[in-house]
Amino acid sequence: LAVSERPGGHARNHRKIRRQEEVLWIKNNGFTRVVSLLPSVHNLHAYEEFGLPYAHVPLPPTLEPSHLAELFEKLAAWLRAGERILVHHEEFGDLVMGVLAGYLLWAGLLKSGPEAIVVLEKLCRRPMDATGREIVAMALDLVAARG
């Protein structure tokens, strides 16, 4: 399981040739599925063009625990099936950090919100802001609801 910014870069920095090179790199390095969290369908055609399986699981601007539950369940199923997954959003920021921390909590790989935040901050070499921390809190609510 890996996370990144949108292949090809984000917003004004996005370049078609860079996207093609990065999609080829993803495919050639053993990833079996790309999961786009973008609200739009950007890049999906590139994955099709290169024969790389993908899933579009858009996260809306107003994120609810049910959105995370759907994503986490899909990630767990793909990982159980042996897939190697790259998850991306427009840029590599707090939303992606929060989603990964939340998944690790939900999957039982980390035990507490503070632990998840510290692990992601160390992995990403940057602090997690309020957006990421809110996602971690939602994941903790999902874990508590599950029992």
Side-chain angles (χ1 to χ4, degrees):
L1 178 61
V3 292
S4 74
E5 71 178 359
R6 176 169 60 129
H10 64 278
R12 294 184 347 213
N13 297 328
H14 190 82
R15 294 188 350 251
K16 181 180 179 180
I17 189 70
R18 178 178 163 196
R19 179 184 64 230
Q20 291 171 332
E21 290 170 344
E22 290 180 2
V23 170
L24 282 172
W25 184 92
I26 292 165
K27 187 173 181 178
N28 291 335
N29 280 278
F31 287 94
T32 58
R33 181 177 305 275
V34 173
V35 177
S36 174
L37 305 179
L38 293 171
S40 67
V41 296
H42 288 103
N43 278 28
L44 301 184
H45 66 283
Y47 309 137
E48 287 179 9
E49 178 183 334
F50 288 96
L52 183 60
Y54 67 89
H56 185 219
V57 186
L59 294 183
T62 305
L63 194 58
E64 298 291 331
S66 61
H67 301 124
L68 291 176
E70 175 190 353
L71 172 62
F72 294 166
E73 289 167 8
K74 288 179 179 184
L75 289 173
W78 291 319
L79 290 167
R80 273 193 308 273
E83 294 202 43
R84 295 184 63 191
I85 302 166
L86 175 76
V87 178
H88 77 78
H89 200 267
E90 183 69 23
E91 61 184 89
F92 186 83
D94 292 289
L95 184 134
V96 172
M97 287 175 68
V99 165
L100 183 56
Y103 176 75
L104 295 174
L105 281 167
W106 181 88
L109 298 169
L110 297 174
K111 301 298 178 201
S112 71
E115 179 186 22
I117 291 167
V118 168
V119 166
L120 263 293
E121 287 179 337
K122 286 183 179 184
L123 284 172
C124 300
R125 296 187 178 131
R126 58 175 283 195
M128 185 183 296
D129 77 4
T131 299
R133 290 168 186 264
E134 288 172 16
I135 294 169
V136 169
M138 280 188 237
L140 287 169
D141 290 343
L142 290 171
V143 170
R146 200 171 46 189

